[in-house]
Amino acid sequence: MKAVIIDPGLHSMGGHHYNATLCLKAELLTLGIDHACLVSAFADGQVVRDLGGTPCFSKAVYGRSYEGPEEFSRNVRQTARELSRGLRRHRPAPELLILPCCDQVLALAVARYLRLRWFVRPPRIVLWLLFGPHYRKPTDDPSLGALYTECREAFASLRQAVGAERIMAYCETAGMAEAYRDVTGLEIGVAPGPGLLKDADAFCAGRRVGASTVVCIGFANEPKGYRLLPGAIERVLAEEPDASFMIHGVFSGSDTAGQGPVFEHLARLGPRVVVRTDVLSPADYLAWLRQADLLLLPYDPDVYRTRGSGVFTEARRMGIPVVTTKGCGFAQAAFEQGWGVAIDDRDEAGIAQAVLQALGRLDDLTARAHSQGRATAEDDIGKVLRSAVDVIRASAPGPRSSLLQRLFARR
C-alpha cells in the first residue's frame, strides 16, 4: 500500500503545515505504509531533507486573490498540472491521498487528476478543511456566496471522481463542519488536525511554585493580535511582580511584515519578557510550550468564529490553561470546562485584565486543564489513518481483479 501527503502550503519548518506532515509521516511509518509527500515548489532545503518532500506546487491557499471565477479556474488548472507531474514521480499510484489542509482549489485539482485516470481503482482520501472558503473570513460572512459556489463545484467533482464513500473529511470545530456539510455533500467529522503531540501524560507537568510564565507562540499574522501585546504586557507586569512572558512570533513573509516595531517594543520591556521572531524547530516549539503556565491567544473572533487553532489543540493535549478571545469557536469548550479565561474586550486593557484574572486563579485553571488533557489524550490522527488503512486493506482487489471490476468500483 502507498500513501501520498499533499500540501501546497508546506514550504518551511515550523507552523501547522510542517508539524502536520511530520505527524502524518510518523503515523504512516508506524502502520508500515510506504509514503511520499508533495509540497510547495518554494520549499526550503530542510523541508525537502527532513520530510522527503517533493517540491511541486507554485500556489497555495494563502496566495489566492479571490478575484473571481477566472482566478479560481487558473489556480485549479495550474494545481492540477503540478499535481500530475508530482505524482508521476511516485509510482505506483497511491491507494491513499492525505490532504492535511484542503481548500476548494486543491479539491477540484485532485478531482480532475483522478478523473483522467478512470481506468485505475480510485484511492481513498483523508482531508481536513481548516479554513472557510476564504481563509481570512468567517464561514458566515455574507460576501462568500461565490466562494461557496466554488466549493460546491469542487466537491461535487471530487465525489464523482472517487465516490463519497471513499472520502473521509474532517474539520477542527463543529461550527466549521456544519458550514461545510451541505456545500460538500459529505459527512464531515470533527477532529483536530495532525500536530506534534498525541500523549498529554508525557508532557503535563506540575506548575512551578512562584513565578508564572505566560506564553504566546506562532505565526504573527494580523488576526493573532500581536500588535496589542506591548501595552497589555506592560499593564500585567506593573500589577503582577511574579509574572513573566515568552513571546514568539514569525512575521517575516506574513501579512504583518511591517510589525518589526511591535517586537522591538516587546524586547524593550525588560528581563521578564523573552522575545523570539525566528522559525522554531519542533524541539524548540515543544520546549517553549513546556515552559508555559498559561497560553495567551488574543485572536480576532471574527476570523476565528468557526476556525480551529493548532496551538490551542497542543495546549489542550498538554494540559495548559488558556486566555483567548470570547467568540473564538475553538475555545468555547475551554471556557465551559473551566480551563480557559475569556478576553471580553479585545484591546490592550481587556487582554491585560483577562491575563491578570487567569494568574489569580492559576492553580484551579491548571488542575482543570490537566484533567481535560488526560481525558482527551486520544490518538486522534492514528485512529483516523488506521480506519482508512483498514478499509483499504479489506477492500483491496485480488490479483485477478479485472478492468471491468475496477470500472464498476468507481461508483
Side-chain angles (χ1 to χ4, degrees):
M1 184 187 305
K2 183 163 187 177
V4 175
I5 303 164
I6 301 172
D7 189 350
L10 174 52
H11 64 87
S12 67
M13 181 184 68
H16 163 76
H17 298 276
Y18 185 91
N19 293 344
T21 300
L22 203 62
C23 171
L24 290 167
K25 285 176 65 66
E27 293 291 349
L28 292 168
L29 283 171
T30 299
L31 293 169
I33 306 299
D34 182 29
H35 61 277
C37 58
L38 305 183
V39 302
S40 169
F42 309 106
D44 61 32
Q46 187 162 16
V47 166
V48 174
R49 290 190 303 273
D50 293 354
L51 302 180
T54 299
C56 186
F57 301 102
S58 55
K59 296 282 187 180
V61 60
Y62 310 106
R64 286 203 63 185
S65 62
Y66 301 100
E67 293 171 351
E70 262 307 307
E71 182 259 356
F72 175 63
S73 296
R74 286 196 307 271
N75 283 0
V76 171
R77 288 194 299 270
Q78 185 170 346
T79 301
R81 285 195 301 269
E82 292 165 345
L83 175 65
S84 179
R85 287 198 295 267
L87 287 175
R88 280 200 299 269
R89 297 178 60 180
H90 296 286
R91 298 186 185 278
E95 291 96 333
L96 176 63
L97 297 180
I98 305 172
L99 316 179
C101 187
C102 186
D103 70 331
Q104 58 266 36
V105 170
L106 183 57
L108 187 51
V110 170
R112 289 186 177 175
Y113 168 78
L114 293 175
R115 289 179 68 180
L116 291 174
R117 299 176 60 80
W118 57 269
F119 51 89
V120 176
R121 185 180 179 87
R124 298 271 170 177
I125 296 176
V126 176
L127 64 87
W128 276 266
L129 292 157
L130 302 184
F131 307 121
H134 188 303
Y135 84 96
R136 286 287 304 275
K137 295 183 178 182
T139 54
D140 59 355
D141 189 295
S143 69
L144 296 183
L147 301 188
Y148 274 118
T149 298
E150 294 177 357
C151 290
R152 290 187 180 91
E153 176 189 356
F155 284 94
S157 185
L158 190 60
R159 294 197 314 271
Q160 185 178 8
V162 301
E165 74 283 356
R166 291 180 174 273
I167 303 171
M168 299 171 65
Y170 298 92
C171 291
E172 292 188 306
T173 68
M176 189 74 77
E178 184 63 31
Y180 269 120
R181 283 193 181 103
D182 287 342
V183 296
T184 62
L186 300 170
E187 179 54 42
I188 297 182
V190 178
L196 285 181
L197 299 175
K198 297 181 297 179
D199 184 0
D201 287 331
F203 298 99
C204 288
R207 191 174 75 81
R208 292 177 295 280
V209 177
S212 302
T213 302
V214 182
V215 172
C216 185
I217 189 170
F219 279 85
N221 297 322
E222 178 60 31
K224 302 287 184 68
Y226 279 78
R227 60 185 171 78
L228 300 171
L229 292 182
I233 290 174
E234 284 182 315
R235 287 171 165 83
V236 175
L237 294 177
E239 295 194 35
E240 182 50 72
D242 289 329
S244 63
F245 288 82
M246 297 176 64
I247 309 299
H248 167 263
V250 177
F251 60 90
S252 176
S254 75
D255 60 1
T256 56
Q259 277 207 76
V262 172
F263 289 87
E264 292 169 6
H265 188 169
L266 287 167
R268 291 195 300 269
L269 293 181
R272 291 160 62 194
V273 181
V274 175
V275 179
R276 282 186 66 172
T277 59
D278 57 327
V279 175
L280 298 178
S281 69
D284 283 346
Y285 173 75
L286 292 179
W288 271 55
L289 288 178
R290 290 190 186 106
Q291 296 180 72
D293 295 302
L294 189 66
L295 199 67
L296 177 58
L297 306 170
Y299 292 0
D300 185 337
D302 288 335
V303 175
Y304 282 88
R305 192 176 307 152
T306 55
R307 182 166 149 184
S309 163
V311 177
F312 175 84
T313 298
E314 306 293 18
R316 177 178 66 86
R317 289 170 173 154
M318 293 179 74
I320 305 170
V322 298
V323 171
T324 190
T325 318
K326 181 175 68 176
C328 290
F330 64 80
Q332 188 57 40
F335 300 149
E336 294 172 353
Q337 294 160 358
W339 57 280
V341 173
I343 300 167
D344 292 323
D345 298 310
R346 188 175 176 262
D347 54 25
E348 294 175 350
I351 293 170
Q353 180 180 3
V355 170
L356 288 167
Q357 179 187 343
L359 291 173
R361 46 186 289 249
L362 192 53
D363 288 335
D364 177 60
L365 290 169
T366 302
R368 293 173 182 268
H370 281 200
S371 176
Q372 182 63 23
R374 288 190 293 271
T376 58
E378 298 179 354
D379 188 3
D380 299 303
I381 305 306
K383 287 194 294 187
V384 167
L385 293 185
R386 281 194 296 272
S387 176
V389 168
D390 288 347
V391 171
I392 292 170
R393 285 173 171 161
S395 61
R400 296 185 181 181
S401 175
S402 67
L403 173 61
L404 188 60
Q405 286 175 307
R406 293 188 180 195
L407 291 176
F408 279 116
R410 183 185 292 272
R411 295 189 292 274

